[in-house]
Amino acid sequence: RTGSVVLVGGGPGSDDLLTVAATKALATADVVLYDRLSPHSHLADLAPHAELINVGKRPGHHPTSQSEIERTMIEYAAAGSRVVRLKGGDPYVFGRGSEEVIACQAAGIPVSVIPGITSAVSVPASIGIPLTHRGISHLFTVVSGHAPLTDNELEHLAGLGGTIVVLMGIGTLPHLVSGLRRFGAPGDLPVAIVERGFSPSQRTTTSSLDAVVQDAALAKVASPAVIVIGEVVRLAYDGDAEAHILLARAELLARVD
């Protein structure tokens, strides 16, 4: 029989945040290729009949190349296996999912995608940070920090306002901060760095745009982490009186509107 490939978004790492469709796909899989940031600690229970293949990458260490991942899942599917490609977050949010779909289509392999809960939204929410709030932020931008942004990108990002969410951005944080400040972002703009979201060792460092590079160094923050920049950071669960003042001002503005 002809096999198939399904790309499954595993969410931010907790088994509880897998979708129903994701658990069904895993339960019937013959082969699972999983990432480092996908929920894999109980994968043998979630995919009891599957061969489990770790293709995870760490920053600066890629034991399995992207082309090899694509070749492996195509070979298994061509031999008749139901292949699940389990990815952290959502396959189409900095997950290279579209590349894998294109590779399957080019090889004539049936392929589908099950969306996942992206860490860009869920990890800030885990500490009470809403990416939008009436009167405070009516938009958010999700940015990859894997490589430094250009001056043109930084200028537009600073000018947009709202909330900025950065994934894979610890290494390029100094460049991002200096660029945003250079193009007009205020130095007292709140920043939160949430490390290892939804894991037992989750940790949050809060700061401001002017101080975050130093504070991050002192706290020894490390990937994986989600960086949130914007006034909504003040609304986190451990927010102080400033958060209540901000909310009151936002509600007043909303009533005026």
Side-chain angles (χ1 to χ4, degrees):
R1 64 186 172 89
T2 301
S4 62
V5 172
V6 56
L7 274 62
V8 172
S14 170
D15 293 349
D16 293 340
L17 294 179
L18 280 166
T19 65
V20 173
T23 57
K24 286 181 177 178
L26 287 168
T28 58
D30 298 313
V31 180
V32 178
L33 283 71
Y34 64 94
D35 280 348
R36 177 177 66 98
L37 297 180
S38 64
H40 60 265
S41 57
H42 301 105
L43 195 50
D45 298 323
L46 293 166
H49 311 295
E51 177 183 351
L52 308 180
I53 303 174
N54 183 353
V55 294
K57 302 173 183 177
R58 299 193 307 273
H61 182 59
H62 298 173
T64 308
S65 68
Q66 183 63 30
S67 60
E68 187 176 349
I69 291 171
E70 293 166 7
R71 183 170 59 253
T72 300
M73 64 185 187
I74 288 169
E75 286 177 354
Y76 273 103
S81 295
R82 290 177 295 241
V83 179
V84 166
R85 175 71 174 99
L86 182 61
K87 306 172 79 67
D90 182 272
Y92 281 173
V93 180
F94 305 135
R96 304 188 73 168
S98 56
E99 297 175 41
E100 294 171 0
V101 167
I102 290 169
C104 288
Q105 290 172 335
I109 300 296
V111 59
S112 58
V113 177
I114 296 175
I117 300 173
T118 173
S119 60
V121 174
S122 59
V123 171
S126 73
I127 60 168
I129 297 177
L131 299 189
T132 62
H133 187 95
R134 186 171 59 170
I136 298 175
S137 173
H138 66 274
L139 62 91
F140 65 91
T141 306
V142 182
V143 179
S144 168
H146 185 261
L149 299 179
T150 66
D151 277 358
N152 186 51
E153 290 169 332
L154 288 164
E155 182 177 11
H156 284 86
L157 189 60
L160 275 174
T163 306
I164 301 170
V165 183
V166 187
L167 306 183
M168 305 173 289
I170 297 302
T172 56
L173 181 61
H175 175 84
L176 175 66
V177 168
S178 64
L180 291 175
R181 290 291 287 123
R182 189 165 68 252
F183 290 109
D188 62 352
L189 196 63
V191 181
I193 303 175
V194 189
E195 300 170 78
R196 302 176 296 278
F198 290 96
S199 75
S201 61
Q202 177 171 325
R203 183 179 69 153
T204 302
T205 302
T206 56
S207 185
S208 66
L209 206 57
D210 271 348
V212 69
V213 173
Q214 180 179 1
D215 289 344
L218 290 172
K220 297 181 179 179
V221 299
S223 298
V226 176
I227 303 168
V228 188
I229 303 171
E231 292 293 342
V232 291
V233 170
R234 301 189 198 276
L235 304 181
Y237 289 138
D238 61 351
D240 55 18
E242 281 188 84
H244 298 290
I245 294 170
L246 190 69
L247 273 172
R249 185 166 70 240
E251 289 167 1
L252 177 62
L253 288 171
R255 286 198 296 271
V256 171
D257 291 343

